[in-house]
C-alpha cells in the first residue's frame, strides 16, 4: 500500500495550481494554468468570469493527471486555498449573477446603509469613524446594492472565491473560517459570523441567509460530487477539507506556526505575518486575520502591490533583460539578480518608499510612492535594487510594529512567494532585518499549507504541530553581512523611518490638487 497523497488546489491572482503532496511535504506532481481573463470596464475595476476560475481549476487538474507520479488511487483528500477578498454573487442554483469582483478592484460607493446613532457616536469617540466610513464605501456588496439592485435582489449566496470553488467541488455552500478576509460581517475575535447586534450588519447590505456555513480549518466540508469528478478527474467521494486563505496557508506552509517566527511573503501583496493564539490588533481597530490553524490568528502587515512593483519595473524598464533571457535561454530572474547585485547596498543613497497603492490606515490614504536621493550616478540597476530595499524596509517597519503590539520578539524569518526565488532579494532582506532569512524547502507554500490542513483533518497527523514539523523545513539560509547590515541600519533609522512623516503633507497637497488618490 503506497503512502497517501493530498491534492491541494491553489487559486492565486496569476494562476491556478493543482499540487499533489506526500506526507513529508514534498511535491509529487504539479500543474499550473495562468489566469489571463481579468477585465476592467472602468478605471480601477478588476473583474473575472467566475466560470473562468472553475475552468482553469478543471484544466489544471486535467494536466496534473498526465504528470509522472499523479496516482489518483493514492489521493486521500482535497483542499482549496485561494486569493483573498474576491467575491461572487450566486443564485439558488449556484449560478453566478455577475462577474467576480476581485481583491484588486478599487471601486467604491457613497450610497451605503445607515449606521444607528449609538454606533456612530461610539466610532466618533474612538476616532475610527473615518475608517468605518471608508470600509463601508469599499465593501463590494454595498456597491452592488446601490448600483445593481437586481443582482442584490437575486443573490442567494454571497461567496468568496474559496466558497464558490468549494460549492463547485462538493455541492454545498460551505467555506473555511480561515478564508474570511473581506468586507463581510465576520467576527475576527471569535472566528465566526458576527452576532446579530454587531455593527457590521448595519454597515453592510447583507442578510445572514446570504452567507455560507463556516467550518474550522481541517474539518470536512463535503465530498467531491459526481459532476465535479466528471469535470476535474478528481475521484468522486473524496473528502473536501477546509483550508484557509492563501496567505494564511502560506504562513504554515513556510513553517511559521509560533509567534517568534515571521513569514515574509514576497508576492503580489508583500506581507509579514506571525501566528499567535492571542487576539492582537497590530493597527488599532484593524483585526488580525484568521490563521490556517483553528483558534489562531495571523498578525499581518501588508505592503499592497508589494512585489507587483518588481513586475512593474520589469515591464517598464526591464526589456533589455527580458530580450537577453530569450536569446541566452536563461531565466529572466537570473538577469535581474545580476542587475541588483551590480549595485552596492544602499543603492548609493537612492531611497524608495513603496506606497505605490495607498492603504487604509498605515500608511494613510493620502500616501503615494516616492524615490529620493537621485544623482547622475544612478541607473536602472539602482532603481531596481532600491525597489527591493524599499519593500524590505517597509516590512521591517511592520515587524517592529507587530513586536510592539504583541509584546514578543521575532527572531527567525522565512520568505516565500515569487520574490523568494531571488538570491539578491533574500540577501538584502537578511541584511536589512539583521536576521538569518530562510527559504522554505518548497516554493509552493500556500498549497503546502492547504495540504497540512487536509492531512490533519484526515487524521494522517494527530495535530497541527506534528503535521507542520513533518511537512515543512528550511532550504537555503541567508546570513546578514555585517558591513551591509551597518549601512542599512543607518539608512533605515536615519532616513527611511522619517520619509513618510516628512512627505505626508505634500502627499495630501497632491491629492487635494489632483484628486488622486481619493480622500475620505
Amino acid at each position: 500500500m503506497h503512502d497517501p497523497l493530498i491534492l491541494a488546489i491553489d487559486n492565486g491572482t496569476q494562476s491556478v495550481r493543482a499540487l499533489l503532496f506526500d506526507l513529508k511535504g514534498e511535491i509529487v506532481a504539479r500543474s499550473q494554468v495562468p489566469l489571463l481573463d481579468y477585465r476592467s470596464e472602468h478605471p480601477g475595476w478588476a473583474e473575472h468570469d467566475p466560470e473562468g476560475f472553475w475552468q482553469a481549476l478543471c484544466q489544471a487538474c486535467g494536466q496534473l493527471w498526465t504528470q509522472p507520479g499523479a496516482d489518483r488511487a493514492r489521493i486521500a483528500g482535497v483542499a482549496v486555498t485561494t486569493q483573498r477578498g474576491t467575491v461572487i454573487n450566486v443564485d439558488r442554483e449556484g449560478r453566478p449573477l455577475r462577474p467576480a469582483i476581485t481583491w484588486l478592484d478599487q471601486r467604491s460607493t457613497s450610497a451605503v446603509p445607515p449606521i444607528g446613532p449609538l454606533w456612530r457616536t461610539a466610532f466618533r469617540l474612538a476616532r475610527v469613524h473615518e475608517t468605518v466610513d471608508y470600509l463601508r464605501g469599499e465593501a463590494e456588496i454595498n456597491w452592488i446594492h446601490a448600483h445593481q439592485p437586481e443582482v442584490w435582489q437575486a443573490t442567494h449566496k454571497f461567496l468568496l472565491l474559496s466558497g464558490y470553488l468549494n460549492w463547485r467541488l462538493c455541492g454545498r455552500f460551505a467555506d473555511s473560517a480561515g478564508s474570511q478576509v473581506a468586507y463581510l460581517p465576520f467576527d475576527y475575535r471569535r472566528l465566526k459570523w458576527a452576532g446579530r447586534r454587531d455593527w457590521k450588519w448595519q454597515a453592510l447590505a447583507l442578510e445572514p441567509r446570504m452567507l455560507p456555513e463556516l467550518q474550522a480549518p481541517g474539518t470536512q466540508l463535503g465530498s467531491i460530487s459526481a459532476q465535479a469528478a466528471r469535470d476535474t478527474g478528481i475521484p468522486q467521494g473524496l473528502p473536501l477539507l477546509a483550508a484557509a486563505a492563501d496567505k494564511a496557508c502560506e504562513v504554515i506552509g513556510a513553517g511559521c506556526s509560533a509567534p517568534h517566527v515571521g513569514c515574509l511573503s514576497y508576492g503580489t501583496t508583500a506581507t509579514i505575518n506571525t501566528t499567535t493564539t492571542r487576539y492582537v490588533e497590530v493597527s488599532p481597530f484593524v483585526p488580525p486575520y484568521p490563521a490556517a490553524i483553528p483558534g489562531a490568528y495571523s498578525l499581518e502587515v501588508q505592503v499592497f502591490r508589494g512585489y507587483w512593483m518588481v513586475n512593474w519595473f520589469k515591464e517598464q524598464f526591464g526589456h533589455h533583460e527580458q530580450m537577453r533571457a530569450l536569446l541566452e535561454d536563461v531565466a529572466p530572474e537570473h538577469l535581474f539578480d545580476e542587475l541588483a547585485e551590480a549595485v552596492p547596498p544602499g543603492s548609493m543613497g537612492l531611497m524608495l518608499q513603496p506606497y505605490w497603492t495607498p492603504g487604509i490606515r498605515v500608511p494613510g490614504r493620502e500616501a503615494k510612492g516616492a524615490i529620493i536621493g537621485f544623482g547622475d550616478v544612478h541607473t536602472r540597476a539602482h532603481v531596481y535594487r532600491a525597489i527591493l530595499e524599499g519593500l524590505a524596509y517597509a516590512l521591517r517597519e511592520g515587524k517592529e510594529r507587530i513586536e510592539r503590539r504583541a509584546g514578543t520578539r521575532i527572531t527567525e524569518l522565512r520568505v516565500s512567494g515569487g520574490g523568494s526565488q531571488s538570491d539578491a532579494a533574500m540577501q538584502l532582506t537578511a541584511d536589512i532585518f539583521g536576521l538569518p532569512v530562510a527559504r522554505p524547502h518548497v516554493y509552493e507554500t500556500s498549497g503546502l499549507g492547504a495540504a497540512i490542513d487536509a492531512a490533519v483533518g484526515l487524521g494522517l497527523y494527530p495535530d497541527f504541530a506534528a503535521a507542520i514539523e513533518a511537512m515543512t523545513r528550511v532550504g537555503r539560509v541567508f546570513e546578514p553581512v555585517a558591513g551591509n547590515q551597518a549601512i542599512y541600519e543607518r539608512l533605515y533609522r536615519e532616513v527611511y523611518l522619517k520619509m513618510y512623516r516628512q512627505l505626508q503633507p505634500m502627499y495630501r497637497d497632491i491629492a487635494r490638487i489632483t484628486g488622486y488618490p481619493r480622500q475620505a
Side-chain angles (χ1 to χ4, degrees):
M1 180 70 177
H2 291 291
D3 291 334
L5 301 177
I6 305 294
L7 172 59
I9 295 168
D10 183 358
N11 188 330
T13 302
Q14 299 179 47
S15 66
V16 177
R17 291 170 308 279
L19 307 153
L20 280 178
F21 288 93
D22 64 20
L23 294 188
K24 295 180 181 178
E26 298 292 350
I27 297 176
V28 174
R30 175 187 185 276
S31 68
Q32 183 172 7
V33 174
L35 291 171
L36 303 174
D37 192 26
Y38 286 97
R39 311 170 185 175
S40 182
E41 293 185 7
H42 301 279
W45 288 25
E47 299 183 336
H48 198 283
D49 178 14
E51 183 65 22
F53 286 127
W54 174 247
Q55 291 302 322
L57 184 156
C58 295
Q59 186 180 348
C61 288
Q63 292 177 6
L64 184 69
W65 312 133
T66 68
Q67 303 299 312
D71 183 354
R72 281 179 270 192
R74 293 175 58 191
I75 301 175
V78 185
V80 172
T81 181
T82 70
Q83 55 181 274
R84 305 185 299 191
T86 291
V87 296
I88 300 171
N89 301 65
V90 300
D91 64 15
R92 290 187 178 277
E93 284 70 48
R95 295 173 300 206
L97 295 166
R98 67 172 323 283
I101 301 179
T102 77
W103 70 274
L104 293 164
D105 196 279
Q106 297 180 41
R107 79 187 72 189
S108 62
T109 182
S110 58
V112 297
I115 290 181
L118 291 178
W119 279 115
R120 286 204 309 271
T121 301
F123 292 143
R124 193 166 295 279
L125 290 173
R127 298 182 180 179
V128 295
H129 57 286
E130 290 184 358
T131 298
V132 171
D133 288 344
Y134 177 81
L135 295 176
R136 293 161 71 207
E138 293 293 305
E140 298 86 359
I141 192 63
N142 287 347
W143 187 93
I144 293 168
H145 179 264
H147 299 278
Q148 296 179 336
E150 71 287 354
V151 172
W152 186 84
Q153 289 287 348
T155 297
H156 176 61
K157 295 294 179 183
F158 187 66
L159 304 172
L160 292 179
L161 176 58
S162 52
Y164 176 72
L165 295 181
N166 288 333
W167 153 253
R168 295 297 297 261
L169 287 167
C170 76
R172 293 186 65 233
F173 292 118
D175 202 4
S176 171
S179 296
Q180 305 311 303
V181 180
Y183 299 116
L184 295 170
F186 184 70
D187 186 332
Y188 287 90
R189 186 183 295 273
R190 295 174 178 82
L191 301 174
K192 61 182 183 180
W193 295 129
R196 288 299 298 153
R197 296 183 179 181
D198 194 293
W199 65 272
K200 299 181 192 73
W201 291 108
Q202 296 183 38
L204 301 169
L206 271 171
E207 300 174 18
R209 64 170 180 81
M210 294 179 174
L211 298 172
E213 176 188 341
L214 290 186
Q215 295 183 209
T219 59
Q220 185 169 341
L221 295 171
S223 301
I224 300 300
S225 69
Q227 183 61 55
R230 287 191 291 271
D231 290 344
T232 66
I234 303 171
Q236 182 180 349
L238 274 180
L240 177 65
L241 287 304
D246 56 0
K247 292 290 184 184
C249 285
E250 191 172 339
V251 172
I252 66 167
C256 304
S257 57
H260 73 282
V261 184
C263 179
L264 302 180
S265 174
Y266 283 166
T268 306
T269 291
T271 60
I272 178 167
N273 279 274
T274 188
T275 305
T276 177
T277 55
R278 290 177 52 227
Y279 180 91
V280 177
E281 295 178 351
V282 176
S283 299
F285 302 102
V286 176
Y289 293 143
I293 300 173
Y297 308 94
S298 285
L299 308 188
E300 179 176 300
V301 174
Q302 300 181 3
V303 181
F304 195 62
R305 294 289 183 115
Y307 258 70
W308 169 90
M309 291 174 58
V310 173
N311 291 328
W312 169 82
F313 175 88
K314 291 175 180 178
E315 291 173 4
Q316 300 299 323
F317 307 109
H319 301 146
H320 174 69
E321 284 71 27
Q322 295 187 47
M323 290 298 296
R324 269 188 61 199
L326 288 173
L327 292 172
E328 299 174 18
D329 194 24
V330 297
E333 289 73 19
H334 175 70
L335 299 181
F336 282 103
D337 260 13
E338 287 183 359
L339 201 66
E341 289 166 350
V343 173
S347 301
M348 299 186 71
L350 204 63
M351 296 287 290
L352 180 139
Q353 190 171 261
Y355 300 149
W356 257 234
T357 302
I360 297 173
R361 289 182 64 83
V362 182
R365 293 194 294 278
E366 77 288 335
K368 300 179 80 69
I371 309 177
I372 64 171
F374 270 110
D376 58 6
V377 298
H378 292 122
T379 65
R380 292 181 313 119
H382 293 85
V383 174
Y384 183 64
R385 187 177 181 100
I387 290 173
L388 300 179
E389 291 172 342
L391 290 167
Y393 287 139
L395 291 174
R396 176 176 167 178
E397 187 178 12
K399 165 187 170 288
E400 293 172 357
R401 200 181 325 145
I402 290 171
E403 289 174 329
R404 287 193 301 271
R405 297 290 297 184
T408 59
R409 293 278 294 171
I410 296 173
T411 58
E412 299 179 34
L413 292 176
R414 313 275 169 83
V415 181
S416 58
S420 69
Q421 302 310 294
S422 164
D423 287 356
M426 294 291 288
Q427 185 59 59
L428 69 83
T429 299
D431 295 338
I432 287 174
F433 279 80
L435 290 172
V437 173
R439 183 183 283 152
H441 79 285
V442 294
Y443 166 68
E444 298 283 5
T445 48
S446 291
L448 178 54
I452 289 170
D453 275 322
V456 176
L458 292 166
L460 300 173
Y461 286 103
D463 53 39
F464 279 88
I468 291 170
E469 182 177 1
M471 298 178 74
T472 70
R473 52 203 162 274
V474 298
R476 181 177 172 184
V477 178
F478 294 77
E479 298 284 345
V481 176
N484 299 348
Q485 183 181 348
I487 293 169
Y488 283 129
E489 183 69 21
R490 291 196 64 188
L491 287 171
Y492 176 70
R493 294 289 177 197
E494 298 175 32
V495 182
Y496 182 83
L497 289 180
K498 298 177 181 178
M499 284 178 67
Y500 181 65
R501 185 170 64 250
Q502 296 291 330
L503 293 171
Q504 187 181 38
M506 286 178 277
Y507 289 154
R508 287 177 175 153
D509 289 341
I510 290 171
R512 177 175 51 79
I513 294 166
T514 67
Y516 177 81
R518 178 182 58 85
Q519 301 299 288

